[in-house]
């Protein structure tokens, strides 16, 4: 038989024990061939009179990572996992022991729960049911078996959060029978032999009764009430609660039926589709055409950061937490001391909150070296500049870095708007220069825009990509333009918000509409948080269209008054006990300016229009960015928005929304607004092209990938 036709499930006999093994690299997903293999091997073992017990395990690092997600789109065929588990595994008449050798997630964990006994390796870090994170619920009995095994409240937490637990926690909760050091299969075989010796048969979780005696009566209602802003969107987390509740009210068989109904509701929902798309988009962002596994990654062991302000300290923390030694250089002692104090405070607070151990905290703190001398960067493999946003200053420091840094060191700028090519030209090694655009707070926000200059070498870019992973960030490549992918689009979104404020929407109307639709935070609350002065300064330095300057007139007047937002106690809102409160004075300023500009006041703007106009502006600008080659793929744009701008993953991202709406409709609506508002709504040629050819952004991405391959 050719190697490719080999079944991913096989049996090895150890005396009276059949060891059934899944071998489906890399993480033993439970695709059709595995499910068929499980049915076959369990049937054979069950029929073999010489076999007294069965051990089920996985090959490599995983027991099983669960369903094969690609089957969600290609279609699934029988035998289905829930059936395999119910009938072949839990229904087996010989005792079945799971030997959990590595991660068991989703369907993989459900498979383990279907076994009669569980032995786990102490090295296992991830056991759990993360289905909610892709917009669905566990669908192979997880919601019915876990409450029977570990109690309703613990099961509810695990299923609704989707967060994994480690082997020790699983043992404490009763999800596994024992945790062992060393070879888990050997231990499970011994466990099985012991069962045989003691005459113990199958112990089926489905036969257990859910203990409801001590449940708070409002447990489920309270949980449902806490889900308003769950990252899975409006459906999946609620369905998880409903399914677990069913386990307390229905028989096992009826509970399984209810679980199926609920997953069938979730699967076709736009939220599940968006979450699954976002999951793949994020992985896709890491692949860059022309850069493959043969591209050399430069060694990066030590990191230098220039500037100990807001971003410099955050960036230092991100690398320190990633295990890198960091040298941080400032101009003045005072600024350096303040930056170092901020770094220490964050480390201390992480220790206090139990995120890291005191020993880890001490090791991280010992890894940072403060300095006032850029010569300290002489041995650094990577230097990231985070000084003031001024081209003159950036050019000066890059000139100096060029003199100081060793050959091959990567020189990066954290600029949020400036031309990386111009910065690179201040050095004699533009091939080593790129942008690393972090988001504030840089130690927390996941997005890292990696800005590829004209001259940036492939290996420098590949190194930056690999570094983003090493510090737990999602890297997305952007070409050079004002604001790169994220901020350039945001400028258009923000401009439309200003227009609506002049037309009669209040800041609260806008924020409520957009937060209600799914944004983590409304745009005006965001500006109050970041500081209205940031954009105000940029508008003073850069040349924008007259229209944009006109639309921002009130906002700039607010900043002129020193109302920068939360940091000054007032901005678009007033802040009372850190809570935002509407300010009639701000509304009055917009009304007065509107009258001056001859804008007819409307009696508020409906939420749907607020959502549509902001979304369409993002889409239109995203299409331009894609057409210009600033973004490699539309899915990269969505990854940027989800990880850096608070666009909820269950909404898929602006470009995904465009495809969902249909490009014909998108084009029609943009043209509608173009007629009404003119220039700022000029439709992107790519949208017209796609609309005319029945295209989608997703299809365009695919075609480009094919052409590059
Ligand atoms: P900041 O004003 O908090 O910090 C800048 C620091 O650089 C100051 O401590 C200053 O003393 C120091 N500095 C200035 N010139 C220096 C020199 N020649 N040598 C050594 N140190 C020097 O500014 P922030 O907000 O940290 O911004 C830094 C850069 O990051 C800017 O380019 C900004 O556009 C960019 N950025 C800012 C974001 C934000 O949310 N604040 C987000 C993303 C990028």
């Amino acid at each position: 038989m050719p190697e490719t036709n080999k079944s991913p499930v096989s049996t090895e006999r150890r005396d009276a024990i059949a060891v059934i093994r899944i071998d489906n690299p890399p993480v033993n997903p439970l695709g059709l061939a595995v499910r068929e293999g499980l049915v076959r091997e369990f049937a054979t073992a069950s029929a073999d009179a010489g076999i007294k017990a069965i051990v089920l395990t996985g090959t490599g690092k995983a027991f099983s990572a669960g369903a094969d997600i690609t089957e969600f789109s290609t279609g699934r065929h029988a035998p289905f996992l829930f059936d395999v588990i119910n009938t072949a595994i839990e229904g087996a008449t010989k005792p079945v022991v799971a030997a959990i050798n590595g991660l068991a997630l989703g369907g993989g964990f459900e498979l383990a729960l279907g076994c009669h006994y569980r032995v786990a390796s102490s090295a296992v870090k991830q056991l759990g049911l993360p289905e909610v994170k892709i917009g669905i619920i566990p669908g192979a009995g997880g919601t019915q078996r876990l409450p029977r095994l570990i109690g309703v409240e613990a099961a509810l937490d695990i299923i609704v959060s989707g967060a994994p637990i480690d082997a020790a926690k699983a043992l404490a909760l009763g999800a596994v029978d024992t945790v062992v050091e060393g070879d888990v299969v050997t231990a499970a075989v011994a466990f099985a032999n012991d069962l045989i010796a003691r005459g113990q048969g199958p112990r089926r979780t489905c036969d257990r009764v859910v203990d409801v005696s001590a449940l708070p009566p409002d447990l489920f209602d309270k949980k449902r009430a806490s889900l308003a802003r769950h990252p899975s969107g409006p459906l999946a987390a609620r369905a998880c609660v409903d399914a677990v509740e069913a386990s307390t009210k229905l028989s096992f068989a009826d509970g399984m039926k209810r679980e199926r109904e609920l997953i069938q509701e979730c699967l076709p929902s736009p939220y599940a589709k968006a979450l699954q798309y976002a999951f793949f988009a994020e992985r896709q962002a890491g692949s860059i055409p022309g850069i493959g596994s043969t591209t050399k990654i430069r060694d990066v062991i030590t990191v230098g950061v220039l500037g100990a302000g807001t971003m410099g300290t955050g960036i230092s923390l991100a690398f320190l937490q990633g295990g890198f030694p960091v040298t941080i250089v400032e101009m003045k002692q005072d600024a350096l001391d303040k930056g170092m104090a901020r770094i220490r405070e964050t480390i201390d607070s992480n220790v206090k909150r139990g995120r890291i151990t005191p020993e880890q905290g001490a090791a991280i703190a010992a890894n940072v070296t403060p300095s006032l001398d850029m010569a300290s960067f002489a041995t650094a493999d990577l230097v990231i500049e985070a000084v003031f946003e001024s081209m003159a200053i950036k050019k000066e420091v890059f000139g100096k870095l060029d003199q100081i840094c060793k050959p091959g060191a990567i020189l990066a700028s954290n600029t949020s708007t400036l031309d990386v090519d111009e910065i690179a030209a201040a050095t004699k090694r533009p091939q080593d220069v790129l942008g690393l655009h972090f988001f504030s707070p840089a130690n927390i926000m996941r997005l890292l825009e990696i800005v590829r200059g004209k001259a940036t070498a492939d290996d420098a870019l590949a190194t930056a990509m690999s570094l983003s992973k090493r510090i737990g960030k999602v890297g997305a490549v952007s070409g050079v333009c004002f604001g790169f992918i994220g901020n350039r689009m945001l400028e258009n979104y923000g401009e439309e918000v200003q227009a609506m404020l002049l037309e009669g929407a209040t800041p609260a109307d806008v924020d409520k509409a957009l937060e209600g639709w799914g944004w983590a935070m409304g745009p005006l609350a965001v500006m109050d948080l970041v500081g209205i002065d940031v954009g105000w300064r940029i508008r003073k330095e850069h040349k924008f269209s007259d229209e944009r300057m006109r639309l921002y007139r009130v906002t700039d007047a607010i900043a002129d008054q020193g109302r920068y937002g939360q940091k000054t106690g007032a901005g678009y809102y007033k802040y009372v006990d850190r809570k935002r409160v509407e300010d009639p004075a701000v509304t009055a300023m917009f009304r007065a300016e509107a009258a001056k500009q001859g804008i007819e006041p409307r009696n508020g703007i409906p939420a749907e229009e607020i959502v549509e106009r902001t979304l369409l502006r993002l889409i239109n600008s995203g299409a331009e960015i894609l057409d210009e080659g600033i973004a490699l793929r539309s899915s990269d744009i969505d990854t940027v928005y989800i990880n850096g701008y608070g666009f909820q993953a269950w909404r898929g991202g602006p470009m995904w929304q465009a495809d969902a709406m249909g490009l014909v409709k998108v084009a029609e609506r943009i043209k509608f607004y173009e007629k009404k508002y003119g220039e700022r709504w000029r439709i992107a040629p790519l949208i017209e092209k796609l609309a005319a050819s029945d295209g989608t952004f997703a299809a365009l991405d695919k075609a480009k990938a094919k052409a590059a391959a």
Side-chain angles (χ1 to χ4, degrees):
M1 207 196 286
E3 191 66 13
T4 45
N5 285 342
K6 214 180 108 203
S7 170
V9 185
S10 61
T11 302
E12 167 210 349
R13 206 173 159 142
R14 295 203 190 172
D15 300 322
I17 312 295
V19 176
I20 298 180
R21 202 181 284 271
I22 307 172
D23 184 7
N24 191 22
V27 286
N28 302 324
L30 303 168
L32 181 62
V34 172
R35 300 196 300 271
E36 284 172 345
L38 285 170
V39 171
R40 184 191 62 238
E41 297 302 314
F42 269 85
T44 309
S46 297
D48 185 335
I51 294 294
K52 302 288 179 229
I54 300 166
V55 166
L56 176 63
T57 193
T59 304
K61 287 200 178 112
F63 179 76
S64 166
D68 182 347
I69 301 185
T70 55
E71 284 186 358
F72 287 7
S73 47
T74 58
R76 275 155 302 148
H77 301 281
F80 299 112
L81 186 62
F82 68 93
D83 249 350
V84 175
I85 294 176
N86 282 357
T87 314
I89 295 173
E90 193 169 57
T93 51
K94 298 170 185 178
V96 180
V97 182
I100 307 174
N101 55 303
L103 63 84
L105 292 173
F109 192 46
E110 292 177 297
L111 192 61
L113 296 177
C115 295
H116 304 144
Y117 304 89
R118 280 157 295 278
V119 178
S121 157
S122 63
V124 174
K125 294 269 177 298
Q126 295 194 70
L127 296 168
L129 297 168
E131 282 83 349
V132 72
K133 293 183 177 172
I134 52 166
I136 58 173
I137 70 166
T143 65
Q144 304 305 301
R145 289 195 181 88
L146 199 58
R148 285 177 161 76
L149 211 52
I150 66 170
V152 174
E153 285 174 274
L156 193 61
D157 278 346
I158 288 177
I159 294 169
V160 172
S161 71
I165 56 172
D166 62 14
K169 179 92 191 276
L171 181 66
L173 288 173
V176 300
D177 296 280
T178 176
V179 169
V180 299
E181 307 289 330
D183 183 47
V184 71
V185 174
T186 307
V189 169
F191 189 97
N193 277 318
D194 184 52
L195 290 174
I196 299 166
R198 290 190 288 116
Q200 297 276 329
R203 182 198 60 184
R204 299 187 180 97
T205 307
C206 65
D207 293 338
R208 291 198 186 196
V209 177
V210 179
D211 181 8
V212 293
S213 57
L215 283 191
D218 56 352
L219 176 70
F220 297 107
D221 288 339
K222 260 202 177 142
K223 195 73 181 179
R224 275 187 281 262
S226 74
L227 301 175
R229 298 191 76 76
H230 194 279
S232 68
L235 198 57
R238 171 175 277 273
C240 286
V241 180
D242 292 352
V244 175
E245 186 174 27
S247 80
T248 66
K249 298 200 164 132
L250 304 176
S251 68
F252 181 79
D254 287 343
M256 286 294 288
K257 271 193 211 135
R258 183 76 188 117
E259 186 188 83
R260 290 232 63 69
E261 279 167 20
L262 287 163
I263 195 174
Q264 295 305 343
E265 272 172 42
C266 292
L267 268 172
S269 74
Y271 319 123
K273 287 189 179 144
L275 285 162
Q276 286 156 34
Y277 160 82
F279 177 89
F280 287 117
E282 188 178 314
R283 272 144 199 83
Q284 185 69 27
S287 97
I288 308 161
I291 294 184
S293 51
T294 52
T295 309
K296 196 181 155 289
I297 304 282
R298 298 187 195 181
D299 283 338
V300 175
I301 296 161
T302 58
V303 175
V305 175
L306 184 66
T310 310
M311 294 309 289
T313 51
I315 294 168
S316 298
L317 277 162
F319 279 96
L320 286 165
Q321 286 160 2
F324 291 86
V326 173
T327 300
I328 183 163
V329 174
E330 252 293 342
M331 276 188 303
K332 294 198 189 99
Q333 189 66 48
D334 176 45
L336 187 61
D337 291 345
K338 274 195 199 142
M340 285 297 289
R342 264 203 302 275
I343 289 176
R344 283 195 206 99
E345 273 164 30
T346 309
I347 297 171
D348 288 349
S349 120
N350 284 343
V351 171
K352 249 188 229 136
R353 291 178 187 196
R355 289 190 189 136
I356 48 175
T357 64
E359 293 74 31
Q360 285 168 326
I364 291 172
N367 236 354
V368 53
T369 311
S371 166
L372 290 173
D373 185 359
M374 278 175 72
S376 314
F377 291 148
T379 55
D381 303 303
L382 162 72
V383 176
I384 301 160
E385 160 280 310
V387 303
F388 302 130
E389 184 79 344
S390 138
M391 184 52 94
I393 299 178
K394 304 256 185 208
K395 277 183 167 169
E396 189 196 324
V397 302
F398 271 79
K400 282 190 194 153
L401 289 174
D402 193 21
Q403 312 251 304
I404 291 165
C405 294
K406 65 182 187 186
I410 294 175
L411 310 183
S413 173
N414 180 50
T415 179
S416 31
T417 51
L418 298 173
D419 184 335
V420 173
D421 291 327
E422 198 178 335
I423 295 174
T427 72
K428 288 189 208 67
R429 42 171 128 178
Q431 74 279 5
D432 297 335
V433 178
L434 44 74
L436 286 181
H437 184 211
F438 286 83
F439 289 73
S440 184
N443 51 317
I444 292 171
M445 293 293 288
R446 289 184 80 216
L447 180 64
L448 178 60
E449 267 184 325
I450 302 178
V451 185
R452 179 189 212 166
K454 268 200 225 85
T456 304
D458 282 356
D459 66 335
L461 189 69
T463 306
M465 257 299 168
S466 114
L467 279 170
S468 70
K469 284 202 193 90
R470 285 173 66 191
I471 58 171
K473 305 280 179 215
V474 179
V477 176
S478 170
V480 175
C481 68
F482 180 85
F484 315 120
I485 296 174
N487 283 346
R488 174 166 157 191
M489 287 170 65
L490 198 72
E491 290 279 343
N492 293 288
Y493 167 89
E495 183 183 82
E496 202 56 30
V497 167
Q498 298 294 321
M500 291 191 285
L501 292 174
L502 285 168
E503 286 170 40
T506 66
D509 291 341
V510 173
D511 284 345
K512 260 190 226 146
L514 293 169
E515 285 165 8
W517 185 75
W519 286 85
M521 207 184 205
L524 301 156
V526 169
M527 275 172 78
D528 268 1
L529 181 70
V530 174
I532 297 180
D533 54 316
V534 175
W536 173 64
R537 272 181 235 280
I538 294 176
R539 281 186 296 280
K540 278 184 197 296
E541 272 203 26
H542 287 268
K543 178 94 192 87
F544 289 109
S545 69
D546 292 345
E547 184 180 25
R548 181 165 296 178
M549 295 310 286
R550 169 178 70 75
L551 294 172
Y552 270 100
R553 229 172 260 163
V554 177
T555 289
D556 287 341
I558 293 173
D560 286 338
Q561 294 173 1
R563 294 179 61 139
Y564 294 165
Q566 286 196 27
K567 60 187 165 193
T568 58
Y572 289 109
Y573 297 93
K574 287 187 286 195
Y575 290 85
V576 181
D577 297 331
R578 308 197 71 198
K579 276 211 183 90
R580 61 193 205 216
V581 177
E582 289 188 60
D583 187 347
V586 167
T587 319
M589 284 171 83
F590 279 104
R591 287 284 149 100
E593 180 61 29
K596 242 194 237 164
Q597 295 190 18
I599 298 168
E600 205 175 308
R602 295 167 61 183
N603 190 16
I605 298 184
E608 304 77 58
E609 182 180 332
I610 294 172
V611 169
E612 183 185 59
R613 282 170 65 179
T614 46
L615 187 57
L616 288 174
R617 289 296 303 273
L618 283 174
I619 293 168
N620 204 39
S621 154
E624 285 170 2
I625 284 173
L626 199 58
D627 218 8
E628 290 165 24
I630 298 293
L632 295 169
R633 290 167 281 254
S634 70
S635 61
D636 285 7
I637 296 175
D638 289 335
T639 297
V640 164
Y641 262 77
I642 290 169
N643 291 286
Y645 292 86
F647 202 107
Q648 297 298 297
W650 56 271
R651 289 291 194 187
M655 310 317 275
W656 192 85
Q657 284 289 330
D659 279 358
M661 216 188 284
L663 271 302
V664 171
K665 171 93 187 290
V666 168
E668 186 191 297
R669 295 303 293 161
I670 291 178
K671 283 183 182 159
F672 168 82
Y673 286 119
E674 186 179 3
K675 228 183 219 162
K676 202 162 170 189
Y677 297 113
E679 183 59 22
R680 71 172 192 269
W681 275 93
R682 195 171 47 196
I683 189 164
L686 179 60
I687 292 184
E688 286 205 288
K689 207 165 97 190
L690 290 177
S693 61
D694 217 8
T696 61
F697 287 114
L700 188 66
D701 283 359
K702 258 197 204 139
K704 272 200 224 162
K706 213 169 160 195

